[in-house]
Amino acid sequence: MKGCKMAMVRLVALIVLYTSLGHIPSSLGVILRTTDKIVWANEFEPIELTCLIESISTNNPRIEWKKIKNGVPSYVYFQNKISGDLENRAQLREPANILIFNTSRADTAEYRCEVAAIEDQRDFDEILISLAVRVKPVVPRCSVPESVTVGTSTELRCLENEGFPASQYRWFHNNEELPQDPKTSQRFVNFSYIINPDTGSLKFRRVRKEDAGKYYCQAKNDAGNAQCPPKTMDVCDVDVLGIFLQSCGGLMAVVTLIFVIYLMKRLCCYKSVYNGNNYNTPAQAPAVDYADADEGHFRHKSSFII
Ligand SMILES: *[C@@H]1O[C@H](CO)[C@@H](O)[C@H](O)[C@H]1NC(C)=O
Ligand SMILES: *[C@@H]1O[C@H](CO)[C@@H](O)[C@H](O)[C@H]1NC(C)=O
């Protein structure tokens, strides 16, 4: 019986030893964890980057935070002080979190929490968190033509460059939102426009009378939205008189040009013939056929010029 009891004790001791051995590596090493590896914050709002210490046995571990922007690291928590870009704008919170009071767009970067625990077997761990600060769109610049002719194509544009992530754009006609694709809506089925929500362009293939009215555009992202003041677009009928005058003007210009060329050529011709007679063939001058003198001059002119 005694031998049996001893075996039992040994077994229990073995189990205890085994279980504790199983725990030894973690209790002797520093292990970090975070609640979010990718963090989104709104500009001008506070945000906390978590650096949780899962296990550690060193009493006073060395905690450091680095900011890594475009591959360049800089200290933001070093020697127990907030420094660099976050100076006076953040604080360290238990266990190793960093709280930014008022984020700015320049805070968008990667942040690395590094904890060194000298007395631990595994004496170092680090964790990388990426912070993206959302920025509200500003009032977009909108371009709306004052007047367009029925049946022509036209483009309305809307753009702002501050918003992060990049804004999406929506257009409104007489305070009613235009669906991105008019074919999807009964009410707008006869409209011939296309909206590109990424670029802010509103393109009409063929403007109709009904397209006249007040237009404005809204830029929107997860942080907020902004819109430009409405602008009026007039749609006028085909300008027949204008087209007539324009083509008349064109015709007049061509006629004038031809006339000028004709005059110049004539002048040129007289000069050439006159010079030719004087210096080259004075004896032959009277021999020019008088019957069609004008035509003769023209023929002379062309050969002289060539
Ligand atoms: C945050 O910073 C901005 C600009 O630096 C400032 O206008 C705003 O008042 C600040 N907000 C808070 C809550 O401190
Ligand atoms: C669209 O055009 C068709 C044909 O011109 C017309 O019958 C219909 O009423 C129009 N629909 C709307 C919503 O204006």
Side-chain angles (χ1 to χ4, degrees):
M1 271 283 108
K2 210 177 175 195
C4 187
K5 203 174 180 182
M6 279 298 286
M8 198 72 164
V9 167
R10 255 191 239 129
L11 185 66
V12 168
L14 218 84
I15 290 168
V16 167
L17 186 68
Y18 181 81
T19 345
S20 56
L21 267 176
H23 280 126
I24 282 168
S26 64
S27 67
L28 287 184
V30 54
I31 294 175
L32 303 181
R33 187 172 64 83
T34 183
T35 53
D36 298 290
K37 276 186 165 288
I38 296 166
V39 178
W40 281 91
N42 290 336
E43 193 175 35
F44 308 130
E45 285 177 14
I47 191 73
E48 188 160 355
L49 307 179
T50 60
C51 182
L52 307 172
I53 300 173
E54 286 239 293
S55 91
I56 196 158
S57 35
T58 304
N59 279 330
N60 270 314
R62 193 192 73 208
I63 298 167
E64 286 177 0
W65 277 88
K66 286 187 186 121
K67 173 181 182 175
I68 302 133
K69 184 127 190 168
N70 305 321
V72 182
S74 63
Y75 278 111
V76 288
Y77 184 74
F78 181 61
Q79 292 179 342
N80 301 320
K81 275 205 299 279
I82 298 279
S83 59
D85 286 350
L86 291 183
E87 203 169 355
N88 303 321
R89 297 204 298 120
Q91 76 180 58
L92 199 80
R93 305 235 292 194
E94 289 286 317
N97 295 354
I98 212 157
L99 170 69
I100 305 175
F101 307 135
N102 185 356
T103 54
S104 91
R105 62 194 72 188
D107 295 336
T108 293
E110 295 201 297
Y111 292 84
R112 196 163 63 214
C113 172
E114 302 174 355
V115 174
I118 301 298
E119 291 151 32
D120 286 62
Q121 224 165 47
R122 182 184 191 265
D123 63 0
F124 182 82
D125 198 15
E126 60 181 32
I127 207 156
L128 194 66
I129 298 169
S130 112
L131 172 65
V133 179
R134 293 187 195 98
V135 180
K136 277 187 187 136
V138 293
V139 171
R141 292 183 307 280
C142 297
S143 83
V144 176
E146 271 176 27
S147 89
V148 286
T149 308
V150 164
T152 60
S153 66
T154 193
E155 184 179 5
L156 282 64
R157 282 188 226 97
C158 176
L159 191 69
E160 70 84 34
N161 287 316
E162 300 286 313
F164 183 80
S167 288
Q168 292 280 299
Y169 300 93
R170 304 196 294 168
W171 277 97
F172 294 78
H173 173 233
N174 294 336
N175 288 320
E176 196 172 1
E177 185 179 354
L178 293 171
Q180 195 181 319
D181 179 2
K183 297 283 167 286
T184 60
S185 157
Q186 191 72 53
R187 201 164 141 38
F188 294 93
V189 74
N190 287 345
F191 284 58
S192 77
Y193 67 82
I194 313 164
I195 291 177
N196 184 331
D198 299 324
T199 62
S201 144
L202 164 59
K203 255 188 196 148
F204 288 93
R205 262 183 295 121
R206 292 165 58 83
V207 175
R208 307 166 311 142
K209 281 297 253 187
E210 295 88 331
D211 296 328
K214 281 192 158 63
Y215 284 89
Y216 74 85
C217 154
Q218 185 193 63
K220 188 173 192 281
N221 67 9
D222 290 342
N225 63 70
Q227 62 198 46
C228 61
K231 285 182 185 169
T232 302
M233 181 174 90
D234 285 331
V235 175
C236 28
D237 289 315
V238 182
D239 186 0
V240 180
L241 184 69
I243 290 169
F244 177 75
L245 283 179
Q246 233 174 26
S247 49
C248 268
L251 198 65
M252 282 302 284
V254 170
V255 167
T256 314
L257 195 70
I258 289 171
F259 185 68
V260 166
I261 289 172
Y262 170 81
L263 275 182
M264 278 172 73
K265 279 187 173 173
R266 281 211 67 134
L267 276 169
C268 234
C269 176
Y270 277 121
K271 253 189 185 158
S272 304
V273 171
Y274 180 73
N275 288 347
N277 286 347
N278 258 342
Y279 302 109
N280 293 337
T281 53
Q284 277 174 7
V288 170
D289 42 341
Y290 284 104
D292 48 5
D294 274 317
E295 264 185 72
H297 288 156
F298 273 106
R299 271 194 235 111
H300 267 284
K301 169 224 70 191
S302 34
S303 58
F304 267 102
I305 282 172
I306 290 159

